[in-house]
Amino acid sequence: MSFMELANNRQSDRAFAAQEVSRKDLLKCVQAAQLAPSACNSQPWKFIVIDNAEVLKQAGEAISNNPLGINKFAETAPVLVAVVEEPATLMPKIQGKVPSNRWAQFDLGSATEHFCLQAAELGLSTCIMGAFNEEALKDLLGVPEDRRIFVMLAVGYPSGTIRTKVRKELNAIHCFNKYDA
Ligand SMILES: Cc1cc2nc3c(=O)[nH]c(=O)nc-3n(C[C@H](O)[C@H](O)[C@H](O)COP(=O)(O)O)c2cc1C
């Protein structure tokens, strides 16, 4: 698969086939995330992979019990992943000059996308979820009080087909040499 095909195949899926996902494949997704770039190579991430039936049930409920009332489908995902923001250790010459978490969200986004692209290459579906009950999930998963869960991921085998992407026009998102309003 070319990179463009892979980027096109990665899509947010909100329904999954009744097929188990192997830990081998899940670990490969984490390995892909491990390769992501991060500011000062601080790698401020931890992926909590949830594949135990009882924990899954409770995590699915904690996701769907969010103030926006979305993500009910999380209760049907064969695997859920909590992407946790860890403290970033910046290079000594930068430390103290910028907040240590200045670039952490960018880093977590990159790592999360690596995870999702690797999943797509393995024929797995993912959905990144920003809406969830963070406190309930932190309690359930034992995440320390001073850490944040950045996003949750639903992972499973697809039950549908690849959709056409809805995106802004190429011309609207780029220009050369000067900002073009
Ligand atoms: C940070 C982030 C948070 C998101 N949160 C949710 C969410 O809570 N629920 C959901 O169904 N999709 C969520 N999405 C998925 C987006 O809706 C989706 O990526 C976008 O519509 C583009 O569609 P595609 O991923 O299929 O290409 C989120 C995506 C990102 C990157």
Side-chain angles (χ1 to χ4, degrees), residues 124-162:
L124 289 162
S125 286
T126 52
C127 186
I128 301 168
M129 295 172 287
F132 47 83
N133 182 332
E134 186 179 4
E135 281 314 308
L137 282 165
K138 282 174 70 171
D139 278 353
L140 174 70
L141 304 172
V143 176
E145 198 41 52
D146 63 346
R147 304 285 198 276
R148 298 294 314 270
I149 298 180
F150 182 61
V151 288
M152 294 295 297
L153 310 177
V155 186
Y157 283 96
S159 65
T161 52
I162 302 292

PDB file of all heavy atoms in Angstrom, residues 124-162:
ATOM      1  N   LEU A 124      -7.199  -2.732  10.402  1.00  0.00           N
ATOM      2  CA  LEU A 124      -8.018  -2.387  11.568  1.00  0.00           C
ATOM      3  C   LEU A 124      -8.631  -0.995  11.410  1.00  0.00           C
ATOM      4  O   LEU A 124      -8.065  -0.135  10.732  1.00  0.00           O
ATOM      5  CB  LEU A 124      -7.152  -2.398  12.836  1.00  0.00           C
ATOM      6  CG  LEU A 124      -6.694  -3.769  13.325  1.00  0.00           C
ATOM      7  CD1 LEU A 124      -5.520  -3.627  14.297  1.00  0.00           C
ATOM      8  CD2 LEU A 124      -7.858  -4.499  13.987  1.00  0.00           C
ATOM      9  N   SER A 125      -9.754  -0.800  12.058  1.00  0.00           N
ATOM     10  CA  SER A 125     -10.408   0.505  12.087  1.00  0.00           C
ATOM     11  C   SER A 125     -10.118   1.186  13.416  1.00  0.00           C
ATOM     12  O   SER A 125      -9.950   0.506  14.431  1.00  0.00           O
ATOM     13  CB  SER A 125     -11.925   0.328  12.019  1.00  0.00           C
ATOM     14  OG  SER A 125     -12.301  -0.037  10.744  1.00  0.00           O
ATOM     15  N   THR A 126     -10.132   2.498  13.387  1.00  0.00           N
ATOM     16  CA  THR A 126      -9.964   3.251  14.636  1.00  0.00           C
ATOM     17  C   THR A 126     -10.942   4.422  14.645  1.00  0.00           C
ATOM     18  O   THR A 126     -11.422   4.839  13.586  1.00  0.00           O
ATOM     19  CB  THR A 126      -8.535   3.827  14.767  1.00  0.00           C
ATOM     20  OG1 THR A 126      -8.227   4.562  13.570  1.00  0.00           O
ATOM     21  CG2 THR A 126      -7.502   2.740  14.994  1.00  0.00           C
ATOM     22  N   CYS A 127     -11.207   4.934  15.809  1.00  0.00           N
ATOM     23  CA  CYS A 127     -11.847   6.259  15.915  1.00  0.00           C
ATOM     24  C   CYS A 127     -11.223   6.971  17.099  1.00  0.00           C
ATOM     25  O   CYS A 127     -11.179   6.435  18.215  1.00  0.00           O
ATOM     26  CB  CYS A 127     -13.364   6.156  16.085  1.00  0.00           C
ATOM     27  SG  CYS A 127     -14.151   7.792  16.029  1.00  0.00           S
ATOM     28  N   ILE A 128     -10.690   8.142  16.832  1.00  0.00           N
ATOM     29  CA  ILE A 128     -10.156   8.988  17.895  1.00  0.00           C
ATOM     30  C   ILE A 128     -11.351   9.662  18.569  1.00  0.00           C
ATOM     31  O   ILE A 128     -12.240  10.166  17.886  1.00  0.00           O
ATOM     32  CB  ILE A 128      -9.224  10.076  17.305  1.00  0.00           C
ATOM     33  CG1 ILE A 128      -8.066   9.434  16.535  1.00  0.00           C
ATOM     34  CG2 ILE A 128      -8.706  11.009  18.399  1.00  0.00           C
ATOM     35  CD1 ILE A 128      -7.266  10.430  15.683  1.00  0.00           C
ATOM     36  N   MET A 129     -11.383   9.654  19.890  1.00  0.00           N
ATOM     37  CA  MET A 129     -12.510  10.282  20.605  1.00  0.00           C
ATOM     38  C   MET A 129     -11.981  11.314  21.600  1.00  0.00           C
ATOM     39  O   MET A 129     -11.156  10.989  22.456  1.00  0.00           O
ATOM     40  CB  MET A 129     -13.320   9.220  21.350  1.00  0.00           C
ATOM     41  CG  MET A 129     -14.011   8.239  20.409  1.00  0.00           C
ATOM     42  SD  MET A 129     -14.762   6.867  21.308  1.00  0.00           S
ATOM     43  CE  MET A 129     -13.315   5.918  21.798  1.00  0.00           C
ATOM     44  N   GLY A 130     -12.491  12.531  21.452  1.00  0.00           N
ATOM     45  CA  GLY A 130     -12.090  13.592  22.373  1.00  0.00           C
ATOM     46  C   GLY A 130     -13.109  13.809  23.483  1.00  0.00           C
ATOM     47  O   GLY A 130     -12.832  14.513  24.445  1.00  0.00           O
ATOM     48  N   ALA A 131     -14.282  13.208  23.335  1.00  0.00           N
ATOM     49  CA  ALA A 131     -15.344  13.396  24.333  1.00  0.00           C
ATOM     50  C   ALA A 131     -15.495  12.131  25.164  1.00  0.00           C
ATOM     51  O   ALA A 131     -15.783  11.052  24.634  1.00  0.00           O
ATOM     52  CB  ALA A 131     -16.663  13.723  23.622  1.00  0.00           C
ATOM     53  N   PHE A 132     -15.274  12.280  26.467  1.00  0.00           N
ATOM     54  CA  PHE A 132     -15.396  11.148  27.396  1.00  0.00           C
ATOM     55  C   PHE A 132     -15.399  11.703  28.807  1.00  0.00           C
ATOM     56  O   PHE A 132     -15.076  12.880  29.022  1.00  0.00           O
ATOM     57  CB  PHE A 132     -14.249  10.140  27.195  1.00  0.00           C
ATOM     58  CG  PHE A 132     -12.886  10.776  27.100  1.00  0.00           C
ATOM     59  CD1 PHE A 132     -12.170  11.116  28.252  1.00  0.00           C
ATOM     60  CD2 PHE A 132     -12.308  11.052  25.859  1.00  0.00           C
ATOM     61  CE1 PHE A 132     -10.926  11.719  28.172  1.00  0.00           C
ATOM     62  CE2 PHE A 132     -11.048  11.666  25.775  1.00  0.00           C
ATOM     63  CZ  PHE A 132     -10.355  11.988  26.927  1.00  0.00           C
ATOM     64  N   ASN A 133     -15.755  10.858  29.763  1.00  0.00           N
ATOM     65  CA  ASN A 133     -15.724  11.268  31.167  1.00  0.00           C
ATOM     66  C   ASN A 133     -14.321  10.967  31.705  1.00  0.00           C
ATOM     67  O   ASN A 133     -14.007   9.835  32.087  1.00  0.00           O
ATOM     68  CB  ASN A 133     -16.799  10.502  31.940  1.00  0.00           C
ATOM     69  CG  ASN A 133     -16.853  10.909  33.400  1.00  0.00           C
ATOM     70  OD1 ASN A 133     -15.857  11.332  33.975  1.00  0.00           O
ATOM     71  ND2 ASN A 133     -18.012  10.776  33.993  1.00  0.00           N
ATOM     72  N   GLU A 134     -13.484  11.977  31.671  1.00  0.00           N
ATOM     73  CA  GLU A 134     -12.066  11.770  31.989  1.00  0.00           C
ATOM     74  C   GLU A 134     -11.861  11.289  33.428  1.00  0.00           C
ATOM     75  O   GLU A 134     -11.053  10.385  33.674  1.00  0.00           O
ATOM     76  CB  GLU A 134     -11.274  13.061  31.741  1.00  0.00           C
ATOM     77  CG  GLU A 134      -9.779  12.855  31.923  1.00  0.00           C
ATOM     78  CD  GLU A 134      -8.956  14.106  31.673  1.00  0.00           C
ATOM     79  OE1 GLU A 134      -9.520  15.174  31.429  1.00  0.00           O
ATOM     80  OE2 GLU A 134      -7.713  13.982  31.748  1.00  0.00           O
ATOM     81  N   GLU A 135     -12.588  11.884  34.368  1.00  0.00           N
ATOM     82  CA  GLU A 135     -12.379  11.495  35.777  1.00  0.00           C
ATOM     83  C   GLU A 135     -12.736  10.030  35.993  1.00  0.00           C
ATOM     84  O   GLU A 135     -12.023   9.291  36.682  1.00  0.00           O
ATOM     85  CB  GLU A 135     -13.187  12.414  36.705  1.00  0.00           C
ATOM     86  CG  GLU A 135     -12.540  13.762  36.939  1.00  0.00           C
ATOM     87  CD  GLU A 135     -11.033  13.676  37.250  1.00  0.00           C
ATOM     88  OE1 GLU A 135     -10.655  12.909  38.155  1.00  0.00           O
ATOM     89  OE2 GLU A 135     -10.243  14.363  36.579  1.00  0.00           O
ATOM     90  N   ALA A 136     -13.862   9.597  35.412  1.00  0.00           N
ATOM     91  CA  ALA A 136     -14.287   8.202  35.564  1.00  0.00           C
ATOM     92  C   ALA A 136     -13.243   7.264  34.953  1.00  0.00           C
ATOM     93  O   ALA A 136     -12.917   6.209  35.523  1.00  0.00           O
ATOM     94  CB  ALA A 136     -15.651   7.989  34.910  1.00  0.00           C
ATOM     95  N   LEU A 137     -12.693   7.653  33.812  1.00  0.00           N
ATOM     96  CA  LEU A 137     -11.684   6.808  33.159  1.00  0.00           C
ATOM     97  C   LEU A 137     -10.389   6.774  33.959  1.00  0.00           C
ATOM     98  O   LEU A 137      -9.747   5.722  34.095  1.00  0.00           O
ATOM     99  CB  LEU A 137     -11.414   7.304  31.734  1.00  0.00           C
ATOM    100  CG  LEU A 137     -12.475   6.910  30.714  1.00  0.00           C
ATOM    101  CD1 LEU A 137     -12.344   7.724  29.440  1.00  0.00           C
ATOM    102  CD2 LEU A 137     -12.384   5.412  30.390  1.00  0.00           C
ATOM    103  N   LYS A 138      -9.997   7.922  34.498  1.00  0.00           N
ATOM    104  CA  LYS A 138      -8.765   7.960  35.295  1.00  0.00           C
ATOM    105  C   LYS A 138      -8.902   7.059  36.520  1.00  0.00           C
ATOM    106  O   LYS A 138      -7.985   6.306  36.859  1.00  0.00           O
ATOM    107  CB  LYS A 138      -8.443   9.406  35.701  1.00  0.00           C
ATOM    108  CG  LYS A 138      -7.824  10.201  34.557  1.00  0.00           C
ATOM    109  CD  LYS A 138      -7.631  11.661  34.894  1.00  0.00           C
ATOM    110  CE  LYS A 138      -6.539  11.883  35.923  1.00  0.00           C
ATOM    111  NZ  LYS A 138      -6.223  13.322  36.067  1.00  0.00           N
ATOM    112  N   ASP A 139     -10.069   7.120  37.156  1.00  0.00           N
ATOM    113  CA  ASP A 139     -10.321   6.251  38.323  1.00  0.00           C
ATOM    114  C   ASP A 139     -10.227   4.790  37.911  1.00  0.00           C
ATOM    115  O   ASP A 139      -9.558   3.978  38.552  1.00  0.00           O
ATOM    116  CB  ASP A 139     -11.740   6.500  38.881  1.00  0.00           C
ATOM    117  CG  ASP A 139     -11.766   7.715  39.782  1.00  0.00           C
ATOM    118  OD1 ASP A 139     -10.685   8.263  40.064  1.00  0.00           O
ATOM    119  OD2 ASP A 139     -12.877   8.113  40.177  1.00  0.00           O
ATOM    120  N   LEU A 140     -10.920   4.470  36.837  1.00  0.00           N
ATOM    121  CA  LEU A 140     -10.983   3.074  36.374  1.00  0.00           C
ATOM    122  C   LEU A 140      -9.599   2.533  36.023  1.00  0.00           C
ATOM    123  O   LEU A 140      -9.258   1.392  36.363  1.00  0.00           O
ATOM    124  CB  LEU A 140     -11.910   2.996  35.143  1.00  0.00           C
ATOM    125  CG  LEU A 140     -11.985   1.644  34.439  1.00  0.00           C
ATOM    126  CD1 LEU A 140     -12.718   0.636  35.320  1.00  0.00           C
ATOM    127  CD2 LEU A 140     -12.694   1.769  33.085  1.00  0.00           C
ATOM    128  N   LEU A 141      -8.808   3.356  35.352  1.00  0.00           N
ATOM    129  CA  LEU A 141      -7.529   2.875  34.807  1.00  0.00           C
ATOM    130  C   LEU A 141      -6.344   3.165  35.729  1.00  0.00           C
ATOM    131  O   LEU A 141      -5.207   2.799  35.400  1.00  0.00           O
ATOM    132  CB  LEU A 141      -7.292   3.509  33.426  1.00  0.00           C
ATOM    133  CG  LEU A 141      -8.419   3.275  32.399  1.00  0.00           C
ATOM    134  CD1 LEU A 141      -8.187   4.102  31.134  1.00  0.00           C
ATOM    135  CD2 LEU A 141      -8.530   1.785  32.041  1.00  0.00           C
ATOM    136  N   GLY A 142      -6.614   3.819  36.847  1.00  0.00           N
ATOM    137  CA  GLY A 142      -5.526   4.096  37.792  1.00  0.00           C
ATOM    138  C   GLY A 142      -4.560   5.149  37.286  1.00  0.00           C
ATOM    139  O   GLY A 142      -3.371   5.130  37.633  1.00  0.00           O
ATOM    140  N   VAL A 143      -5.050   6.067  36.461  1.00  0.00           N
ATOM    141  CA  VAL A 143      -4.178   7.134  35.939  1.00  0.00           C
ATOM    142  C   VAL A 143      -3.959   8.161  37.056  1.00  0.00           C
ATOM    143  O   VAL A 143      -4.928   8.642  37.653  1.00  0.00           O
ATOM    144  CB  VAL A 143      -4.833   7.820  34.709  1.00  0.00           C
ATOM    145  CG1 VAL A 143      -3.987   8.985  34.213  1.00  0.00           C
ATOM    146  CG2 VAL A 143      -5.060   6.797  33.591  1.00  0.00           C
ATOM    147  N   PRO A 144      -2.696   8.507  37.349  1.00  0.00           N
ATOM    148  CA  PRO A 144      -2.431   9.452  38.436  1.00  0.00           C
ATOM    149  C   PRO A 144      -3.170  10.773  38.242  1.00  0.00           C
ATOM    150  O   PRO A 144      -3.394  11.210  37.105  1.00  0.00           O
ATOM    151  CB  PRO A 144      -0.911   9.664  38.368  1.00  0.00           C
ATOM    152  CG  PRO A 144      -0.384   8.464  37.655  1.00  0.00           C
ATOM    153  CD  PRO A 144      -1.462   8.019  36.708  1.00  0.00           C
ATOM    154  N   GLU A 145      -3.532  11.382  39.343  1.00  0.00           N
ATOM    155  CA  GLU A 145      -4.333  12.622  39.338  1.00  0.00           C
ATOM    156  C   GLU A 145      -3.685  13.712  38.486  1.00  0.00           C
ATOM    157  O   GLU A 145      -4.371  14.465  37.800  1.00  0.00           O
ATOM    158  CB  GLU A 145      -4.504  13.095  40.799  1.00  0.00           C
ATOM    159  CG  GLU A 145      -5.622  14.083  41.003  1.00  0.00           C
ATOM    160  CD  GLU A 145      -6.905  13.776  40.223  1.00  0.00           C
ATOM    161  OE1 GLU A 145      -7.435  12.642  40.306  1.00  0.00           O
ATOM    162  OE2 GLU A 145      -7.361  14.696  39.508  1.00  0.00           O
ATOM    163  N   ASP A 146      -2.337  13.795  38.491  1.00  0.00           N
ATOM    164  CA  ASP A 146      -1.679  14.896  37.759  1.00  0.00           C
ATOM    165  C   ASP A 146      -1.467  14.603  36.270  1.00  0.00           C
ATOM    166  O   ASP A 146      -0.807  15.363  35.567  1.00  0.00           O
ATOM    167  CB  ASP A 146      -0.325  15.225  38.408  1.00  0.00           C
ATOM    168  CG  ASP A 146       0.653  14.052  38.342  1.00  0.00           C
ATOM    169  OD1 ASP A 146       0.217  12.917  38.040  1.00  0.00           O
ATOM    170  OD2 ASP A 146       1.858  14.277  38.583  1.00  0.00           O
ATOM    171  N   ARG A 147      -1.996  13.512  35.770  1.00  0.00           N
ATOM    172  CA  ARG A 147      -1.900  13.214  34.339  1.00  0.00           C
ATOM    173  C   ARG A 147      -3.235  13.501  33.661  1.00  0.00           C
ATOM    174  O   ARG A 147      -4.278  13.489  34.306  1.00  0.00           O
ATOM    175  CB  ARG A 147      -1.573  11.735  34.097  1.00  0.00           C
ATOM    176  CG  ARG A 147      -0.312  11.253  34.785  1.00  0.00           C
ATOM    177  CD  ARG A 147       0.916  11.762  34.050  1.00  0.00           C
ATOM    178  NE  ARG A 147       2.088  10.984  34.413  1.00  0.00           N
ATOM    179  CZ  ARG A 147       2.860  11.184  35.475  1.00  0.00           C
ATOM    180  NH1 ARG A 147       2.578  12.152  36.322  1.00  0.00           N
ATOM    181  NH2 ARG A 147       3.911  10.421  35.697  1.00  0.00           N
ATOM    182  N   ARG A 148      -3.196  13.738  32.347  1.00  0.00           N
ATOM    183  CA  ARG A 148      -4.418  13.939  31.575  1.00  0.00           C
ATOM    184  C   ARG A 148      -4.574  12.814  30.556  1.00  0.00           C
ATOM    185  O   ARG A 148      -3.579  12.347  29.999  1.00  0.00           O
ATOM    186  CB  ARG A 148      -4.350  15.264  30.775  1.00  0.00           C
ATOM    187  CG  ARG A 148      -4.235  16.533  31.583  1.00  0.00           C
ATOM    188  CD  ARG A 148      -5.450  16.833  32.425  1.00  0.00           C
ATOM    189  NE  ARG A 148      -6.719  16.679  31.724  1.00  0.00           N
ATOM    190  CZ  ARG A 148      -7.333  17.675  31.052  1.00  0.00           C
ATOM    191  NH1 ARG A 148      -6.795  18.867  30.997  1.00  0.00           N
ATOM    192  NH2 ARG A 148      -8.495  17.462  30.461  1.00  0.00           N
ATOM    193  N   ILE A 149      -5.815  12.400  30.368  1.00  0.00           N
ATOM    194  CA  ILE A 149      -6.088  11.517  29.219  1.00  0.00           C
ATOM    195  C   ILE A 149      -6.380  12.445  28.049  1.00  0.00           C
ATOM    196  O   ILE A 149      -7.318  13.240  28.087  1.00  0.00           O
ATOM    197  CB  ILE A 149      -7.265  10.561  29.487  1.00  0.00           C
ATOM    198  CG1 ILE A 149      -6.935   9.644  30.666  1.00  0.00           C
ATOM    199  CG2 ILE A 149      -7.554   9.731  28.229  1.00  0.00           C
ATOM    200  CD1 ILE A 149      -8.042   8.654  31.026  1.00  0.00           C
ATOM    201  N   PHE A 150      -5.542  12.356  27.034  1.00  0.00           N
ATOM    202  CA  PHE A 150      -5.589  13.286  25.896  1.00  0.00           C
ATOM    203  C   PHE A 150      -6.748  12.933  24.971  1.00  0.00           C
ATOM    204  O   PHE A 150      -7.595  13.776  24.654  1.00  0.00           O
ATOM    205  CB  PHE A 150      -4.242  13.187  25.176  1.00  0.00           C
ATOM    206  CG  PHE A 150      -4.069  14.094  24.005  1.00  0.00           C
ATOM    207  CD1 PHE A 150      -4.117  15.476  24.148  1.00  0.00           C
ATOM    208  CD2 PHE A 150      -3.826  13.561  22.752  1.00  0.00           C
ATOM    209  CE1 PHE A 150      -3.934  16.305  23.052  1.00  0.00           C
ATOM    210  CE2 PHE A 150      -3.637  14.384  21.656  1.00  0.00           C
ATOM    211  CZ  PHE A 150      -3.689  15.758  21.807  1.00  0.00           C
ATOM    212  N   VAL A 151      -6.774  11.698  24.520  1.00  0.00           N
ATOM    213  CA  VAL A 151      -7.891  11.171  23.716  1.00  0.00           C
ATOM    214  C   VAL A 151      -8.071   9.696  24.053  1.00  0.00           C
ATOM    215  O   VAL A 151      -7.167   9.067  24.622  1.00  0.00           O
ATOM    216  CB  VAL A 151      -7.653  11.288  22.176  1.00  0.00           C
ATOM    217  CG1 VAL A 151      -7.761  12.730  21.685  1.00  0.00           C
ATOM    218  CG2 VAL A 151      -6.354  10.641  21.750  1.00  0.00           C
ATOM    219  N   MET A 152      -9.231   9.170  23.692  1.00  0.00           N
ATOM    220  CA  MET A 152      -9.473   7.727  23.737  1.00  0.00           C
ATOM    221  C   MET A 152      -9.565   7.248  22.289  1.00  0.00           C
ATOM    222  O   MET A 152     -10.013   7.984  21.398  1.00  0.00           O
ATOM    223  CB  MET A 152     -10.786   7.413  24.464  1.00  0.00           C
ATOM    224  CG  MET A 152     -10.804   7.754  25.934  1.00  0.00           C
ATOM    225  SD  MET A 152      -9.646   6.791  26.952  1.00  0.00           S
ATOM    226  CE  MET A 152     -10.255   5.112  26.768  1.00  0.00           C
ATOM    227  N   LEU A 153      -9.144   6.016  22.050  1.00  0.00           N
ATOM    228  CA  LEU A 153      -9.265   5.422  20.710  1.00  0.00           C
ATOM    229  C   LEU A 153     -10.143   4.191  20.789  1.00  0.00           C
ATOM    230  O   LEU A 153     -10.016   3.404  21.736  1.00  0.00           O
ATOM    231  CB  LEU A 153      -7.888   4.985  20.174  1.00  0.00           C
ATOM    232  CG  LEU A 153      -6.744   6.001  20.225  1.00  0.00           C
ATOM    233  CD1 LEU A 153      -5.458   5.355  19.709  1.00  0.00           C
ATOM    234  CD2 LEU A 153      -7.100   7.219  19.388  1.00  0.00           C
ATOM    235  N   ALA A 154     -10.996   4.025  19.811  1.00  0.00           N
ATOM    236  CA  ALA A 154     -11.722   2.766  19.638  1.00  0.00           C
ATOM    237  C   ALA A 154     -11.001   2.011  18.528  1.00  0.00           C
ATOM    238  O   ALA A 154     -10.621   2.601  17.507  1.00  0.00           O
ATOM    239  CB  ALA A 154     -13.171   3.042  19.243  1.00  0.00           C
ATOM    240  N   VAL A 155     -10.792   0.720  18.717  1.00  0.00           N
ATOM    241  CA  VAL A 155     -10.068  -0.084  17.717  1.00  0.00           C
ATOM    242  C   VAL A 155     -10.829  -1.387  17.479  1.00  0.00           C
ATOM    243  O   VAL A 155     -11.312  -2.015  18.432  1.00  0.00           O
ATOM    244  CB  VAL A 155      -8.640  -0.436  18.210  1.00  0.00           C
ATOM    245  CG1 VAL A 155      -7.850  -1.147  17.120  1.00  0.00           C
ATOM    246  CG2 VAL A 155      -7.891   0.809  18.678  1.00  0.00           C
ATOM    247  N   GLY A 156     -10.909  -1.787  16.228  1.00  0.00           N
ATOM    248  CA  GLY A 156     -11.561  -3.063  15.907  1.00  0.00           C
ATOM    249  C   GLY A 156     -11.470  -3.315  14.414  1.00  0.00           C
ATOM    250  O   GLY A 156     -10.884  -2.508  13.679  1.00  0.00           O
ATOM    251  N   TYR A 157     -12.046  -4.407  13.967  1.00  0.00           N
ATOM    252  CA  TYR A 157     -12.099  -4.650  12.526  1.00  0.00           C
ATOM    253  C   TYR A 157     -13.323  -3.944  11.955  1.00  0.00           C
ATOM    254  O   TYR A 157     -14.371  -3.867  12.615  1.00  0.00           O
ATOM    255  CB  TYR A 157     -12.137  -6.161  12.236  1.00  0.00           C
ATOM    256  CG  TYR A 157     -10.771  -6.765  12.401  1.00  0.00           C
ATOM    257  CD1 TYR A 157     -10.394  -7.378  13.596  1.00  0.00           C
ATOM    258  CD2 TYR A 157      -9.837  -6.689  11.378  1.00  0.00           C
ATOM    259  CE1 TYR A 157      -9.120  -7.898  13.756  1.00  0.00           C
ATOM    260  CE2 TYR A 157      -8.561  -7.199  11.527  1.00  0.00           C
ATOM    261  CZ  TYR A 157      -8.208  -7.808  12.714  1.00  0.00           C
ATOM    262  OH  TYR A 157      -6.943  -8.309  12.876  1.00  0.00           O
ATOM    263  N   PRO A 158     -13.186  -3.409  10.737  1.00  0.00           N
ATOM    264  CA  PRO A 158     -14.287  -2.621  10.172  1.00  0.00           C
ATOM    265  C   PRO A 158     -15.519  -3.471   9.868  1.00  0.00           C
ATOM    266  O   PRO A 158     -15.391  -4.662   9.566  1.00  0.00           O
ATOM    267  CB  PRO A 158     -13.694  -2.059   8.868  1.00  0.00           C
ATOM    268  CG  PRO A 158     -12.542  -2.943   8.538  1.00  0.00           C
ATOM    269  CD  PRO A 158     -12.026  -3.473   9.841  1.00  0.00           C
ATOM    270  N   SER A 159     -16.671  -2.837   9.948  1.00  0.00           N
ATOM    271  CA  SER A 159     -17.881  -3.539   9.521  1.00  0.00           C
ATOM    272  C   SER A 159     -18.439  -2.873   8.267  1.00  0.00           C
ATOM    273  O   SER A 159     -19.439  -3.306   7.721  1.00  0.00           O
ATOM    274  CB  SER A 159     -18.932  -3.543  10.632  1.00  0.00           C
ATOM    275  OG  SER A 159     -19.348  -2.229  10.887  1.00  0.00           O
ATOM    276  N   GLY A 160     -17.780  -1.815   7.802  1.00  0.00           N
ATOM    277  CA  GLY A 160     -18.249  -1.117   6.597  1.00  0.00           C
ATOM    278  C   GLY A 160     -17.130  -0.981   5.579  1.00  0.00           C
ATOM    279  O   GLY A 160     -16.130  -1.703   5.647  1.00  0.00           O
ATOM    280  N   THR A 161     -17.296  -0.048   4.652  1.00  0.00           N
ATOM    281  CA  THR A 161     -16.310   0.139   3.587  1.00  0.00           C
ATOM    282  C   THR A 161     -15.621   1.496   3.750  1.00  0.00           C
ATOM    283  O   THR A 161     -16.023   2.305   4.581  1.00  0.00           O
ATOM    284  CB  THR A 161     -17.009   0.088   2.206  1.00  0.00           C
ATOM    285  OG1 THR A 161     -18.095   1.014   2.255  1.00  0.00           O
ATOM    286  CG2 THR A 161     -17.531  -1.302   1.903  1.00  0.00           C
ATOM    287  N   ILE A 162     -14.615   1.701   2.914  1.00  0.00           N
ATOM    288  CA  ILE A 162     -13.899   2.984   2.952  1.00  0.00           C
ATOM    289  C   ILE A 162     -14.781   4.069   2.313  1.00  0.00           C
ATOM    290  O   ILE A 162     -15.278   3.898   1.201  1.00  0.00           O
ATOM    291  CB  ILE A 162     -12.557   2.884   2.173  1.00  0.00           C
ATOM    292  CG1 ILE A 162     -11.667   1.771   2.743  1.00  0.00           C
ATOM    293  CG2 ILE A 162     -11.837   4.235   2.162  1.00  0.00           C
ATOM    294  CD1 ILE A 162     -11.134   2.018   4.119  1.00  0.00           C
TER     295      ILE A 162
END
